[in-house]
PDB file of all heavy atoms in Angstrom:
ATOM      1  N   HIS J1517      66.572  49.583-129.933  1.00 97.00           N
ATOM      2  CA  HIS J1517      65.490  50.385-130.703  1.00 97.00           C
ATOM      3  C   HIS J1517      64.260  50.200-129.853  1.00 97.00           C
ATOM      4  O   HIS J1517      63.455  51.064-129.726  1.00 97.00           O
ATOM      5  CB  HIS J1517      65.311  49.713-132.028  1.00 97.00           C
ATOM      6  CG  HIS J1517      64.139  50.353-132.768  1.00 97.00           C
ATOM      7  ND1 HIS J1517      64.035  51.635-133.132  1.00 97.00           N
ATOM      8  CD2 HIS J1517      62.990  49.736-133.153  1.00 97.00           C
ATOM      9  CE1 HIS J1517      62.957  51.895-133.723  1.00 97.00           C
ATOM     10  NE2 HIS J1517      62.246  50.841-133.928  1.00 97.00           N
ATOM     11  N   PRO J1588      65.695  38.477-132.276  1.00 98.00           N
ATOM     12  CA  PRO J1588      64.738  39.198-133.055  1.00 98.00           C
ATOM     13  C   PRO J1588      64.937  39.278-134.557  1.00 98.00           C
ATOM     14  O   PRO J1588      66.050  39.592-134.937  1.00 98.00           O
ATOM     15  CB  PRO J1588      64.811  40.559-132.349  1.00 98.00           C
ATOM     16  CG  PRO J1588      66.127  40.660-131.901  1.00 98.00           C
ATOM     17  CD  PRO J1588      66.558  39.232-131.441  1.00 98.00           C
ATOM     18  N   HIS J1589      63.933  39.125-135.318  1.00 98.00           N
ATOM     19  CA  HIS J1589      63.989  39.281-136.802  1.00 98.00           C
ATOM     20  C   HIS J1589      62.801  40.051-137.237  1.00 98.00           C
ATOM     21  O   HIS J1589      61.647  39.820-136.729  1.00 98.00           O
ATOM     22  CB  HIS J1589      63.971  37.977-137.466  1.00 98.00           C
ATOM     23  CG  HIS J1589      65.395  37.208-137.397  1.00 98.00           C
ATOM     24  ND1 HIS J1589      65.765  36.537-136.338  1.00 98.00           N
ATOM     25  CD2 HIS J1589      66.305  37.201-138.386  1.00 98.00           C
ATOM     26  CE1 HIS J1589      66.882  35.914-136.592  1.00 98.00           C
ATOM     27  NE2 HIS J1589      67.282  36.456-137.838  1.00 98.00           N
ATOM     28  N   TRP J1590      62.990  40.933-138.183  1.00 98.00           N
ATOM     29  CA  TRP J1590      61.933  41.618-138.773  1.00 98.00           C
ATOM     30  C   TRP J1590      61.350  40.753-139.878  1.00 98.00           C
ATOM     31  O   TRP J1590      62.275  40.291-140.720  1.00 98.00           O
ATOM     32  CB  TRP J1590      62.334  42.977-139.427  1.00 98.00           C
ATOM     33  CG  TRP J1590      62.602  44.012-138.439  1.00 98.00           C
ATOM     34  CD1 TRP J1590      63.805  44.380-137.808  1.00 98.00           C
ATOM     35  CD2 TRP J1590      61.606  44.804-137.685  1.00 98.00           C
ATOM     36  NE1 TRP J1590      63.526  45.402-137.004  1.00 98.00           N
ATOM     37  CE2 TRP J1590      62.273  45.665-136.770  1.00 98.00           C
ATOM     38  CE3 TRP J1590      60.182  44.814-137.704  1.00 98.00           C
ATOM     39  CZ2 TRP J1590      61.536  46.458-135.974  1.00 98.00           C
ATOM     40  CZ3 TRP J1590      59.533  45.642-136.952  1.00 98.00           C
ATOM     41  CH2 TRP J1590      60.153  46.517-135.975  1.00 98.00           C
ATOM     42  N   ILE J1591      60.122  40.418-139.873  1.00 97.00           N
ATOM     43  CA  ILE J1591      59.577  39.509-140.971  1.00 97.00           C
ATOM     44  C   ILE J1591      58.826  40.390-141.888  1.00 97.00           C
ATOM     45  O   ILE J1591      57.813  40.956-141.487  1.00 97.00           O
ATOM     46  CB  ILE J1591      58.663  38.383-140.294  1.00 97.00           C
ATOM     47  CG1 ILE J1591      59.506  37.620-139.290  1.00 97.00           C
ATOM     48  CG2 ILE J1591      58.160  37.457-141.455  1.00 97.00           C
ATOM     49  CD1 ILE J1591      60.648  36.743-139.681  1.00 97.00           C
ATOM     50  N   ILE J1592      59.269  40.409-143.079  1.00 97.00           N
ATOM     51  CA  ILE J1592      58.626  41.325-144.163  1.00 97.00           C
ATOM     52  C   ILE J1592      57.784  40.413-145.032  1.00 97.00           C
ATOM     53  O   ILE J1592      58.406  39.554-145.800  1.00 97.00           O
ATOM     54  CB  ILE J1592      59.726  42.140-144.876  1.00 97.00           C
ATOM     55  CG1 ILE J1592      60.312  43.116-143.820  1.00 97.00           C
ATOM     56  CG2 ILE J1592      59.122  42.933-145.954  1.00 97.00           C
ATOM     57  CD1 ILE J1592      61.799  43.102-143.884  1.00 97.00           C
ATOM     58  N   VAL J1594      56.018  39.952-148.319  1.00 97.00           N
ATOM     59  CA  VAL J1594      56.111  40.680-149.573  1.00 97.00           C
ATOM     60  C   VAL J1594      55.770  39.902-150.809  1.00 97.00           C
ATOM     61  O   VAL J1594      56.141  38.677-150.867  1.00 97.00           O
ATOM     62  CB  VAL J1594      57.584  41.470-149.652  1.00 97.00           C
ATOM     63  CG1 VAL J1594      58.689  40.322-149.599  1.00 97.00           C
ATOM     64  CG2 VAL J1594      57.747  42.289-150.904  1.00 97.00           C
ATOM     65  N   TRP J1633      60.068  37.392-145.626  1.00 97.00           N
ATOM     66  CA  TRP J1633      61.515  37.628-145.605  1.00 97.00           C
ATOM     67  C   TRP J1633      62.101  37.873-144.375  1.00 97.00           C
ATOM     68  O   TRP J1633      61.467  39.040-143.689  1.00 97.00           O
ATOM     69  CB  TRP J1633      62.011  38.622-146.684  1.00 97.00           C
ATOM     70  CG  TRP J1633      63.502  38.500-147.030  1.00 97.00           C
ATOM     71  CD1 TRP J1633      64.444  39.170-146.505  1.00 97.00           C
ATOM     72  CD2 TRP J1633      64.133  37.576-148.028  1.00 97.00           C
ATOM     73  NE1 TRP J1633      65.636  38.844-147.047  1.00 97.00           N
ATOM     74  CE2 TRP J1633      65.489  37.826-147.977  1.00 97.00           C
ATOM     75  CE3 TRP J1633      63.582  36.625-148.853  1.00 97.00           C
ATOM     76  CZ2 TRP J1633      66.366  37.076-148.733  1.00 97.00           C
ATOM     77  CZ3 TRP J1633      64.366  35.941-149.624  1.00 97.00           C
ATOM     78  CH2 TRP J1633      65.792  36.102-149.562  1.00 97.00           C
ATOM     79  N   ALA J1634      63.033  37.383-143.732  1.00 97.00           N
ATOM     80  CA  ALA J1634      63.600  37.648-142.300  1.00 97.00           C
ATOM     81  C   ALA J1634      64.802  38.402-142.464  1.00 97.00           C
ATOM     82  O   ALA J1634      65.788  37.922-143.129  1.00 97.00           O
ATOM     83  CB  ALA J1634      63.775  36.310-141.554  1.00 97.00           C
ATOM     84  N   VAL J1635      64.936  39.404-141.569  1.00 98.00           N
ATOM     85  CA  VAL J1635      66.185  40.291-141.534  1.00 98.00           C
ATOM     86  C   VAL J1635      66.403  40.383-140.051  1.00 98.00           C
ATOM     87  O   VAL J1635      65.619  40.803-139.331  1.00 98.00           O
ATOM     88  CB  VAL J1635      66.017  41.642-142.196  1.00 98.00           C
ATOM     89  CG1 VAL J1635      67.237  42.506-141.838  1.00 98.00           C
ATOM     90  CG2 VAL J1635      65.821  41.546-143.677  1.00 98.00           C
ATOM     91  N   SER J1636      67.603  39.975-139.620  1.00 98.00           N
ATOM     92  CA  SER J1636      68.050  40.087-138.305  1.00 98.00           C
ATOM     93  C   SER J1636      67.832  41.598-137.717  1.00 98.00           C
ATOM     94  O   SER J1636      68.103  42.555-138.383  1.00 98.00           O
ATOM     95  CB  SER J1636      69.392  39.709-137.957  1.00 98.00           C
ATOM     96  OG  SER J1636      69.800  39.938-136.659  1.00 98.00           O
ATOM     97  N   ALA J1637      67.294  41.666-136.497  1.00 98.00           N
ATOM     98  CA  ALA J1637      67.170  43.038-135.850  1.00 98.00           C
ATOM     99  C   ALA J1637      68.257  43.234-134.904  1.00 98.00           C
ATOM    100  O   ALA J1637      68.220  44.201-134.063  1.00 98.00           O
ATOM    101  CB  ALA J1637      65.864  43.054-135.075  1.00 98.00           C
ATOM    102  N   ARG J1638      69.468  42.510-135.096  1.00 97.00           N
ATOM    103  CA  ARG J1638      70.571  42.600-134.369  1.00 97.00           C
ATOM    104  C   ARG J1638      71.624  43.530-135.088  1.00 97.00           C
ATOM    105  O   ARG J1638      71.673  43.430-136.260  1.00 97.00           O
ATOM    106  CB  ARG J1638      71.234  41.393-133.923  1.00 97.00           C
ATOM    107  CG  ARG J1638      70.348  40.539-133.011  1.00 97.00           C
ATOM    108  CD  ARG J1638      70.074  41.217-131.713  1.00 97.00           C
ATOM    109  NE  ARG J1638      71.430  41.026-130.810  1.00 97.00           N
ATOM    110  CZ  ARG J1638      71.521  41.634-129.614  1.00 97.00           C
ATOM    111  NH1 ARG J1638      70.617  42.534-129.177  1.00 97.00           N
ATOM    112  NH2 ARG J1638      72.732  41.525-128.929  1.00 97.00           N
ATOM    113  N   ASP J1662      72.488  38.355-145.995  1.00 96.00           N
ATOM    114  CA  ASP J1662      72.131  37.760-144.692  1.00 96.00           C
ATOM    115  C   ASP J1662      70.672  37.416-144.401  1.00 96.00           C
ATOM    116  O   ASP J1662      70.375  36.589-143.519  1.00 96.00           O
ATOM    117  CB  ASP J1662      72.633  38.660-143.511  1.00 96.00           C
ATOM    118  CG  ASP J1662      72.018  40.033-143.620  1.00 96.00           C
ATOM    119  OD1 ASP J1662      70.991  40.169-142.931  1.00 96.00           O
ATOM    120  OD2 ASP J1662      72.678  40.985-144.271  1.00 96.00           O
ATOM    121  N   GLY J1663      69.702  38.052-145.142  1.00 97.00           N
ATOM    122  CA  GLY J1663      68.407  37.733-144.906  1.00 97.00           C
ATOM    123  C   GLY J1663      67.959  36.447-145.430  1.00 97.00           C
ATOM    124  O   GLY J1663      68.759  35.798-146.146  1.00 97.00           O
ATOM    125  N   THR J1710      66.226  44.179-129.491  1.00 97.00           N
ATOM    126  CA  THR J1710      65.949  44.659-130.781  1.00 97.00           C
ATOM    127  C   THR J1710      66.723  45.882-130.939  1.00 97.00           C
ATOM    128  O   THR J1710      66.495  46.922-130.352  1.00 97.00           O
ATOM    129  CB  THR J1710      64.399  44.916-131.097  1.00 97.00           C
ATOM    130  OG1 THR J1710      63.808  43.652-130.773  1.00 97.00           O
ATOM    131  CG2 THR J1710      64.151  45.286-132.478  1.00 97.00           C
ATOM    132  N   GLN J1711      67.635  45.912-132.047  1.00 97.00           N
ATOM    133  CA  GLN J1711      68.548  47.074-132.194  1.00 97.00           C
ATOM    134  C   GLN J1711      68.330  47.743-133.550  1.00 97.00           C
ATOM    135  O   GLN J1711      68.831  48.822-133.705  1.00 97.00           O
ATOM    136  CB  GLN J1711      70.066  46.566-132.119  1.00 97.00           C
ATOM    137  CG  GLN J1711      70.378  45.987-130.740  1.00 97.00           C
ATOM    138  CD  GLN J1711      71.702  45.233-130.642  1.00 97.00           C
ATOM    139  OE1 GLN J1711      72.092  44.751-131.774  1.00 97.00           O
ATOM    140  NE2 GLN J1711      72.327  45.398-129.574  1.00 97.00           N
ATOM    141  N   ILE J1712      67.723  47.113-134.440  1.00 96.00           N
ATOM    142  CA  ILE J1712      67.557  47.670-135.790  1.00 96.00           C
ATOM    143  C   ILE J1712      66.046  48.029-136.062  1.00 96.00           C
ATOM    144  O   ILE J1712      65.273  47.159-135.633  1.00 96.00           O
ATOM    145  CB  ILE J1712      68.023  46.673-136.821  1.00 96.00           C
ATOM    146  CG1 ILE J1712      69.567  46.242-136.676  1.00 96.00           C
ATOM    147  CG2 ILE J1712      67.825  47.038-138.215  1.00 96.00           C
ATOM    148  CD1 ILE J1712      70.446  47.272-136.962  1.00 96.00           C
ATOM    149  N   ASP J1713      65.791  49.199-136.645  1.00 97.00           N
ATOM    150  CA  ASP J1713      64.440  49.594-136.841  1.00 97.00           C
ATOM    151  C   ASP J1713      63.949  49.075-138.236  1.00 97.00           C
ATOM    152  O   ASP J1713      64.641  48.451-139.069  1.00 97.00           O
ATOM    153  CB  ASP J1713      64.319  51.005-136.735  1.00 97.00           C
ATOM    154  CG  ASP J1713      64.910  51.818-137.858  1.00 97.00           C
ATOM    155  OD1 ASP J1713      65.151  51.197-138.907  1.00 97.00           O
ATOM    156  OD2 ASP J1713      65.212  53.031-137.655  1.00 97.00           O
ATOM    157  N   GLU J1714      62.644  49.131-138.412  1.00 96.00           N
ATOM    158  CA  GLU J1714      61.924  48.535-139.469  1.00 96.00           C
ATOM    159  C   GLU J1714      62.367  49.132-140.810  1.00 96.00           C
ATOM    160  O   GLU J1714      62.312  48.486-141.806  1.00 96.00           O
ATOM    161  CB  GLU J1714      60.342  48.436-139.339  1.00 96.00           C
ATOM    162  CG  GLU J1714      59.715  49.739-138.979  1.00 96.00           C
ATOM    163  CD  GLU J1714      59.478  49.962-137.529  1.00 96.00           C
ATOM    164  OE1 GLU J1714      60.443  50.108-136.784  1.00 96.00           O
ATOM    165  OE2 GLU J1714      58.370  50.129-137.180  1.00 96.00           O
ATOM    166  N   THR J1715      62.666  50.417-140.848  1.00 97.00           N
ATOM    167  CA  THR J1715      62.942  51.223-142.092  1.00 97.00           C
ATOM    168  C   THR J1715      64.275  50.528-142.650  1.00 97.00           C
ATOM    169  O   THR J1715      64.366  50.190-143.901  1.00 97.00           O
ATOM    170  CB  THR J1715      63.281  52.705-141.830  1.00 97.00           C
ATOM    171  OG1 THR J1715      62.261  53.038-140.863  1.00 97.00           O
ATOM    172  CG2 THR J1715      63.291  53.339-143.040  1.00 97.00           C
ATOM    173  N   GLU J1716      65.285  50.247-141.783  1.00 98.00           N
ATOM    174  CA  GLU J1716      66.398  49.665-142.275  1.00 98.00           C
ATOM    175  C   GLU J1716      66.116  48.175-142.757  1.00 98.00           C
ATOM    176  O   GLU J1716      66.813  47.700-143.671  1.00 98.00           O
ATOM    177  CB  GLU J1716      67.561  49.618-141.071  1.00 98.00           C
ATOM    178  CG  GLU J1716      68.836  48.861-141.562  1.00 98.00           C
ATOM    179  CD  GLU J1716      69.969  48.886-140.525  1.00 98.00           C
ATOM    180  OE1 GLU J1716      69.999  49.875-139.843  1.00 98.00           O
ATOM    181  OE2 GLU J1716      70.750  48.049-140.550  1.00 98.00           O
ATOM    182  N   ALA J1717      65.348  47.452-141.952  1.00 98.00           N
ATOM    183  CA  ALA J1717      65.075  46.093-142.258  1.00 98.00           C
ATOM    184  C   ALA J1717      64.448  45.983-143.704  1.00 98.00           C
ATOM    185  O   ALA J1717      64.889  45.087-144.405  1.00 98.00           O
ATOM    186  CB  ALA J1717      64.146  45.476-141.177  1.00 98.00           C
ATOM    187  N   ILE J1718      63.434  46.902-143.917  1.00 98.00           N
ATOM    188  CA  ILE J1718      62.750  46.794-145.313  1.00 98.00           C
ATOM    189  C   ILE J1718      63.820  47.100-146.425  1.00 98.00           C
ATOM    190  O   ILE J1718      63.745  46.415-147.404  1.00 98.00           O
ATOM    191  CB  ILE J1718      61.622  47.841-145.353  1.00 98.00           C
ATOM    192  CG1 ILE J1718      60.467  47.351-144.327  1.00 98.00           C
ATOM    193  CG2 ILE J1718      60.999  47.971-146.673  1.00 98.00           C
ATOM    194  CD1 ILE J1718      59.290  48.303-144.129  1.00 98.00           C
ATOM    195  N   ARG J1719      64.636  48.153-146.179  1.00 98.00           N
ATOM    196  CA  ARG J1719      65.608  48.539-147.165  1.00 98.00           C
ATOM    197  C   ARG J1719      66.542  47.314-147.378  1.00 98.00           C
ATOM    198  O   ARG J1719      66.784  46.987-148.516  1.00 98.00           O
ATOM    199  CB  ARG J1719      66.476  49.639-146.556  1.00 98.00           C
ATOM    200  CG  ARG J1719      67.246  50.355-147.602  1.00 98.00           C
ATOM    201  CD  ARG J1719      67.909  51.701-147.176  1.00 98.00           C
ATOM    202  NE  ARG J1719      68.789  51.318-146.018  1.00 98.00           N
ATOM    203  CZ  ARG J1719      68.568  52.002-144.781  1.00 98.00           C
ATOM    204  NH1 ARG J1719      67.663  52.944-144.601  1.00 98.00           N
ATOM    205  NH2 ARG J1719      69.540  51.778-143.782  1.00 98.00           N
ATOM    206  N   ARG J1720      66.924  46.616-146.334  1.00 98.00           N
ATOM    207  CA  ARG J1720      67.859  45.527-146.600  1.00 98.00           C
ATOM    208  C   ARG J1720      67.182  44.250-147.297  1.00 98.00           C
ATOM    209  O   ARG J1720      67.807  43.702-148.003  1.00 98.00           O
ATOM    210  CB  ARG J1720      68.546  45.135-145.078  1.00 98.00           C
ATOM    211  CG  ARG J1720      69.594  46.060-144.818  1.00 98.00           C
ATOM    212  CD  ARG J1720      69.985  45.866-143.321  1.00 98.00           C
ATOM    213  NE  ARG J1720      70.292  44.513-142.768  1.00 98.00           N
ATOM    214  CZ  ARG J1720      70.598  44.365-141.700  1.00 98.00           C
ATOM    215  NH1 ARG J1720      70.618  45.233-140.650  1.00 98.00           N
ATOM    216  NH2 ARG J1720      70.767  43.074-141.164  1.00 98.00           N
ATOM    217  N   ALA J1721      65.938  44.089-146.763  1.00 98.00           N
ATOM    218  CA  ALA J1721      65.114  42.919-147.449  1.00 98.00           C
ATOM    219  C   ALA J1721      65.031  43.093-148.921  1.00 98.00           C
ATOM    220  O   ALA J1721      65.255  42.245-149.752  1.00 98.00           O
ATOM    221  CB  ALA J1721      63.843  42.764-146.741  1.00 98.00           C
ATOM    222  N   GLN J1722      64.713  44.432-149.303  1.00 98.00           N
ATOM    223  CA  GLN J1722      64.696  44.600-150.700  1.00 98.00           C
ATOM    224  C   GLN J1722      65.890  44.397-151.475  1.00 98.00           C
ATOM    225  O   GLN J1722      65.937  43.776-152.568  1.00 98.00           O
ATOM    226  CB  GLN J1722      64.168  46.084-150.985  1.00 98.00           C
ATOM    227  CG  GLN J1722      62.751  46.322-150.551  1.00 98.00           C
ATOM    228  CD  GLN J1722      62.133  47.642-151.188  1.00 98.00           C
ATOM    229  OE1 GLN J1722      62.831  48.428-151.796  1.00 98.00           O
ATOM    230  NE2 GLN J1722      60.911  47.884-150.931  1.00 98.00           N
ATOM    231  N   ARG J1723      66.943  44.845-150.842  1.00 98.00           N
ATOM    232  CA  ARG J1723      68.260  44.476-151.513  1.00 98.00           C
ATOM    233  C   ARG J1723      68.586  43.005-151.636  1.00 98.00           C
ATOM    234  O   ARG J1723      69.030  42.600-152.585  1.00 98.00           O
ATOM    235  CB  ARG J1723      69.406  45.248-150.725  1.00 98.00           C
ATOM    236  CG  ARG J1723      70.798  45.256-151.416  1.00 98.00           C
ATOM    237  CD  ARG J1723      71.843  46.046-150.743  1.00 98.00           C
ATOM    238  NE  ARG J1723      71.967  45.513-149.355  1.00 98.00           N
ATOM    239  CZ  ARG J1723      72.673  44.437-149.001  1.00 98.00           C
ATOM    240  NH1 ARG J1723      73.222  43.752-149.985  1.00 98.00           N
ATOM    241  NH2 ARG J1723      72.779  44.045-147.788  1.00 98.00           N
ATOM    242  N   HIS J1724      68.297  42.269-150.544  1.00 98.00           N
ATOM    243  CA  HIS J1724      68.501  40.970-150.565  1.00 98.00           C
ATOM    244  C   HIS J1724      67.744  40.197-151.752  1.00 98.00           C
ATOM    245  O   HIS J1724      68.264  39.421-152.460  1.00 98.00           O
ATOM    246  CB  HIS J1724      68.098  40.162-149.280  1.00 98.00           C
ATOM    247  CG  HIS J1724      68.803  40.693-148.059  1.00 98.00           C
ATOM    248  ND1 HIS J1724      68.324  40.641-146.866  1.00 98.00           N
ATOM    249  CD2 HIS J1724      70.061  41.375-147.863  1.00 98.00           C
ATOM    250  CE1 HIS J1724      69.215  41.016-145.987  1.00 98.00           C
ATOM    251  NE2 HIS J1724      70.241  41.474-146.584  1.00 98.00           N
ATOM    252  N   ILE J1725      66.413  40.575-151.752  1.00 98.00           N
ATOM    253  CA  ILE J1725      65.589  39.994-152.741  1.00 98.00           C
ATOM    254  C   ILE J1725      65.987  40.419-154.155  1.00 98.00           C
ATOM    255  O   ILE J1725      66.030  39.608-155.090  1.00 98.00           O
ATOM    256  CB  ILE J1725      64.022  40.165-152.461  1.00 98.00           C
ATOM    257  CG1 ILE J1725      63.860  39.593-151.189  1.00 98.00           C
ATOM    258  CG2 ILE J1725      63.208  39.655-153.564  1.00 98.00           C
ATOM    259  CD1 ILE J1725      62.455  40.068-150.486  1.00 98.00           C
ATOM    260  N   MET J1749      54.579  45.369-150.619  1.00 96.00           N
ATOM    261  CA  MET J1749      54.736  44.934-149.144  1.00 96.00           C
ATOM    262  C   MET J1749      53.341  44.763-148.507  1.00 96.00           C
ATOM    263  O   MET J1749      52.369  45.509-148.620  1.00 96.00           O
ATOM    264  CB  MET J1749      55.335  46.086-148.386  1.00 96.00           C
ATOM    265  CG  MET J1749      56.730  46.481-148.860  1.00 96.00           C
ATOM    266  SD  MET J1749      57.876  45.280-148.269  1.00 96.00           S
ATOM    267  CE  MET J1749      59.385  45.752-149.150  1.00 96.00           C
ATOM    268  N   ILE J1752      54.841  44.114-142.046  1.00 97.00           N
ATOM    269  CA  ILE J1752      56.038  43.722-141.322  1.00 97.00           C
ATOM    270  C   ILE J1752      55.805  43.531-139.821  1.00 97.00           C
ATOM    271  O   ILE J1752      54.951  44.194-139.271  1.00 97.00           O
ATOM    272  CB  ILE J1752      57.091  44.967-141.517  1.00 97.00           C
ATOM    273  CG1 ILE J1752      58.466  44.627-140.834  1.00 97.00           C
ATOM    274  CG2 ILE J1752      56.614  46.428-141.186  1.00 97.00           C
ATOM    275  CD1 ILE J1752      59.590  45.372-141.327  1.00 97.00           C
ATOM    276  N   GLN J1753      56.483  42.499-139.341  1.00 98.00           N
ATOM    277  CA  GLN J1753      56.365  42.205-137.847  1.00 98.00           C
ATOM    278  C   GLN J1753      57.735  41.984-137.380  1.00 98.00           C
ATOM    279  O   GLN J1753      58.539  41.522-137.998  1.00 98.00           O
ATOM    280  CB  GLN J1753      55.521  41.013-137.790  1.00 98.00           C
ATOM    281  CG  GLN J1753      54.066  41.185-138.123  1.00 98.00           C
ATOM    282  CD  GLN J1753      53.291  39.916-138.506  1.00 98.00           C
ATOM    283  OE1 GLN J1753      53.992  38.975-139.022  1.00 98.00           O
ATOM    284  NE2 GLN J1753      51.952  39.810-138.419  1.00 98.00           N
ATOM    285  N   LEU J1754      57.744  42.072-136.026  1.00 98.00           N
ATOM    286  CA  LEU J1754      59.031  41.746-135.291  1.00 98.00           C
ATOM    287  C   LEU J1754      58.667  40.400-134.558  1.00 98.00           C
ATOM    288  O   LEU J1754      57.643  40.161-133.820  1.00 98.00           O
ATOM    289  CB  LEU J1754      59.192  42.781-134.221  1.00 98.00           C
ATOM    290  CG  LEU J1754      60.651  42.473-133.458  1.00 98.00           C
ATOM    291  CD1 LEU J1754      61.921  42.750-134.420  1.00 98.00           C
ATOM    292  CD2 LEU J1754      60.714  43.469-132.279  1.00 98.00           C
TER     293      LEU J1754
END
Side-chain angles (χ1 to χ4, degrees):
H1517 177 65
H1589 281 83
W1590 286 103
I1591 306 293
I1592 297 129
V1594 60
W1633 198 266
V1635 174
S1636 174
R1638 296 292 290 171
D1662 58 88
T1710 305
Q1711 300 169 325
I1712 298 295
D1713 67 18
E1714 56 263 62
T1715 317
E1716 178 177 330
I1718 291 171
R1719 192 171 63 234
R1720 277 163 55 181
Q1722 285 199 358
R1723 188 179 55 78
H1724 300 158
I1725 298 170
M1749 298 284 171
I1752 179 163
Q1753 292 157 331
L1754 182 68

